[in-house]
């Protein structure tokens, strides 16, 4: 398509098509991730694995923390369309292979499949996040990130709830066939919406060798304010991630059945996260990033207090449901605002690399938080684990807001108006 032809496409059509494309792609990410992070821990707990062992299985998600290593290659080589078709269909193929294996006698091949799907999904995430940064301007990012988290959560609802329910009576084979079909279906917009994908094929003007490209992430990391910003993002998410890491095993240990857990975590709670995503998108657009970060940070922290009470056997199942809904609503709102802030900090030409670097900080933070949750929960109980997450969540929120008020972070945040001038 020529530049003139692109100019003739109405902006509403471009933005609407972009939202549709991003919705399908983020759904495709959430689908396997929801099963592997929400349903699988429950299955492992029922199989006799300890909390520490369940937490340690998070090493299978290392590609999500390491994707910054190959993000520069994704930015530089190949078209967005080719990348997406390759990784989407590859993930569907792995799901079909798992459907053909006998997983009843051991889970080693399941763990291999989880690792491979995570490599493919992490690569898809680099491409998709780059698309979002390049195709959405500042006024669209609040809504765009609401759609991002909403579609991702719907995928997690299906993966962590519906597929767990399917597994409970139909077994592994039906589960993975269904997963493969859904991933293929989510690839259809990649075939249809070529205009959006062509517009996102933007590369640096300079010629870059493969050797130099390998160090691009290091150059981007060393930009003024980036390291500090990454640390702040990680701190903001750490406490909440720790508090929510072992909710599935907590519910299992309370005596809830697989069907009840699937309904609560895959249905009620994830539905609440969708409401939280919409709330965060609206609030950030209406009142700005900094105020939204403050309100969402405080409320997601207070929601963890309900889990502390539930772990102390206060309030019964009603409080457990209230805690789950509250944490997902306010945690979802905080995540939307945080993702918009991360897009603000990324440069368009290096969109995939910049956003991926920052996103990896969130993954590192969540991985360490999950392991810490397992250690603290195993040693001191669920109440201590939830309480520690509450305290750290509050501290992380305060630290991020203080830093933005002092003007700490990449220069792009100043352009978006999210940082106050340095007051010394």
């Amino acid at each position: 398509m020529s530049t003139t032809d692109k100019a003739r496409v109405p902006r509403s059509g471009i933005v609407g098509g972009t939202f549709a494309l991003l919705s399908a792609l983020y759904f495709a990410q959430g689908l396997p991730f929801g099963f592997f992070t929400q349903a699988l821990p429950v299955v492992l707990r029922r199989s006799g694995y300890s909390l520490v062992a369940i937490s340690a299985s998070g090493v299978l998600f290392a590609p999500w923390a390491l994707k910054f290593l190959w993000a520069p290659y994704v930015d530089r080589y190949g078209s967005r369309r080719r990348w997406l078709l390759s990784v989407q269909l590859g993930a569907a193929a792995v799901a079909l292979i798992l459907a053909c294996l006998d997983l009843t006698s051991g889970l080693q091949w399941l763990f291999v499949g989880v690792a491979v799907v995570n490599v493919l999904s992490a690569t898809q995430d680099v491409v998709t996040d780059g698309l979002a940064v390049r195709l959405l301007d500042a006024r669209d990012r609040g809504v765009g990130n609401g759609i991002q988290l909403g579609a991702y959560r719907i995928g997690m609802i299906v993966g962590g709830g519906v597929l767990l329910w399917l597994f409970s009576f139909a077994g592994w084979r039906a589960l993975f066939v269904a997963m493969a079909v859904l991933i293929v279906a989510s690839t259809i917009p990649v075939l249809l919406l070529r205009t959006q994908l062509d517009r996102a094929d933007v590369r640096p003007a300079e010629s870059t060798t493969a050797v130099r490209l390998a160090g691009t992430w290091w150059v981007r990391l060393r930009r003024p304010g980036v390291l500090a910003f990454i640390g702040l993002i990680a701190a903001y998410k750490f406490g909440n991630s720790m508090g929510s890491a072992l909710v599935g095993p907590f519910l299992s240990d309370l005596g809830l059945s697989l069907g009840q857990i699937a309904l609560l975590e895959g249905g009620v709670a994830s539905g609440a996260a969708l409401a939280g995503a919409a709330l965060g998108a609206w609030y950030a657009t209406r009142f700005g990033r900094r105020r939204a970060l403050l309100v969402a940070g405080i409320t997601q922290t207070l929601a963890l207090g309900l889990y502390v009470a539930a772990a102390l056997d206060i309030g019964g199942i009603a409080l457990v449901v209230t805690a789950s809904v509250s944490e997902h609503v306010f945690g979802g709102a905080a995540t939307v605002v945080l993702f918009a802030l991360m897009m603000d900090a990324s440069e368009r030409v290096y969109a995939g690399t910049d956003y991926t670097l920052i996103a990896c900080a969130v993954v590192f933070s969540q991985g360490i938080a999950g392991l810490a949750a397992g250690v603290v929960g195993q040693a001191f109980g669920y109440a201590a684990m939830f309480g520690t997450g509450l305290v750290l969540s509050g501290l992380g929120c305060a630290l991020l807001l203080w830093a933005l008020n002092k003007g700490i972070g990449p220069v792009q945040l100043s352009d978006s108006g999210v940082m106050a001038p340095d007051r010394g």
Side-chain angles (χ1 to χ4, degrees):
M1 178 179 290
S2 67
T3 303
T4 302
D5 291 334
K6 291 177 184 179
R8 292 174 182 166
V9 180
R11 181 182 181 276
S12 59
I14 292 294
V15 174
T18 298
F19 287 159
L21 178 63
L22 294 178
S23 296
L25 294 175
Y26 283 117
F27 170 85
Q29 287 180 31
L31 180 68
F33 197 81
F35 176 74
F36 295 145
T37 59
Q38 293 188 355
L40 187 59
V42 177
V43 175
L44 294 178
R45 189 61 169 168
R46 291 295 175 94
S47 299
Y49 286 79
S50 70
L51 293 179
V52 174
I54 295 173
S55 298
S57 69
V59 71
L60 298 172
F61 297 90
W64 287 90
L66 299 175
K67 60 186 177 178
F68 67 89
L69 294 174
W70 60 89
Y73 293 91
V74 176
D75 265 345
R76 182 67 179 82
Y77 297 118
S79 68
R80 307 306 89 187
R81 187 169 182 268
R82 185 177 301 172
W83 275 109
L84 290 171
L85 289 174
S86 298
V87 296
Q88 290 274 104
L89 297 179
V94 173
L96 287 176
I97 291 172
L98 289 174
C100 296
L101 300 177
D102 180 12
L103 299 176
T104 58
S105 58
L107 298 179
Q108 63 270 22
W109 286 113
L110 173 63
F111 294 144
V112 172
V114 171
V116 174
V117 169
N118 279 321
V119 170
L120 296 170
S121 295
T123 304
Q124 192 257 46
D125 189 49
V126 173
V127 182
T128 306
D129 289 338
L131 285 174
V133 174
R134 290 171 177 172
L135 296 177
L136 299 176
D137 57 27
R139 58 181 165 171
D140 295 321
R141 284 175 183 164
V143 176
N145 280 281
I147 290 175
Q148 170 188 352
L149 184 60
Y152 188 82
R153 279 291 182 173
I154 291 173
M156 291 189 71
I157 290 172
V158 176
V162 176
L163 291 186
L164 177 61
W165 170 78
L166 181 62
F167 167 79
S168 67
F169 69 86
W172 292 110
R173 180 162 299 174
L175 182 156
F176 284 117
V177 169
M179 183 183 294
V181 170
L182 290 170
I183 292 174
V184 170
S186 68
T187 309
I188 294 175
V190 178
L191 298 172
L192 300 179
L193 299 172
R194 298 195 64 163
T195 298
Q196 284 71 21
L197 294 169
D198 290 343
R199 287 168 64 91
D201 281 332
V202 179
R203 300 182 182 87
E206 70 272 14
S207 177
T208 307
T209 65
V211 174
R212 285 187 59 196
L213 200 61
T216 299
W217 66 270
W218 178 244
V219 174
R220 306 303 297 166
L221 188 65
R222 293 175 60 193
R223 288 182 299 140
V226 171
L227 277 173
F229 181 70
I230 286 176
L232 293 167
I233 292 294
Y236 187 87
K237 287 298 296 180
F238 187 91
N240 179 256
S241 298
M242 181 177 178
S244 60
L246 295 177
V247 170
F250 172 60
L251 297 177
S252 180
D253 287 351
L254 286 178
L256 274 67
S257 68
L258 286 178
Q260 290 173 320
I261 295 173
L263 175 62
L264 180 56
E265 284 294 284
V268 176
S270 291
L274 293 177
L279 177 64
W282 170 80
Y283 200 88
T285 301
R286 180 70 176 80
F287 297 104
R289 304 272 199 271
R290 280 200 294 166
R291 183 171 172 181
L293 284 168
L294 174 62
V295 173
I298 291 174
T299 52
Q300 77 169 3
T301 298
L302 294 177
L304 292 177
L306 299 177
Y307 272 126
V308 175
L312 293 173
D313 202 22
I314 299 173
I317 188 63
L319 185 60
V320 172
V321 174
T322 302
S324 183
V325 170
S326 299
E327 192 276 324
H328 280 79
V329 167
F330 299 122
T335 300
V336 165
V337 184
L338 197 67
F339 284 176
L341 184 70
M342 289 158 55
M343 285 189 178
D344 292 338
S346 304
E347 291 185 26
R348 185 172 185 270
V349 174
Y350 296 94
T353 302
D354 285 355
Y355 190 89
T356 296
L357 272 174
I358 303 169
C360 283
V362 176
V363 176
F364 271 116
S365 175
Q366 290 174 328
I368 297 172
L371 183 59
V375 172
V376 174
Q378 188 76 31
F380 304 105
Y382 285 113
M385 184 268 288
F386 288 128
T388 303
L390 184 152
V391 173
L392 294 177
S393 178
L395 292 175
C397 174
L399 183 61
L400 176 61
L401 270 296
W402 171 84
L404 292 177
N405 194 54
K406 297 292 289 183
I408 298 173
V411 68
Q412 284 77 19
L413 293 181
S414 296
D415 297 338
S416 68
V418 73
M419 289 198 307
D422 191 345
R423 298 176 180 174

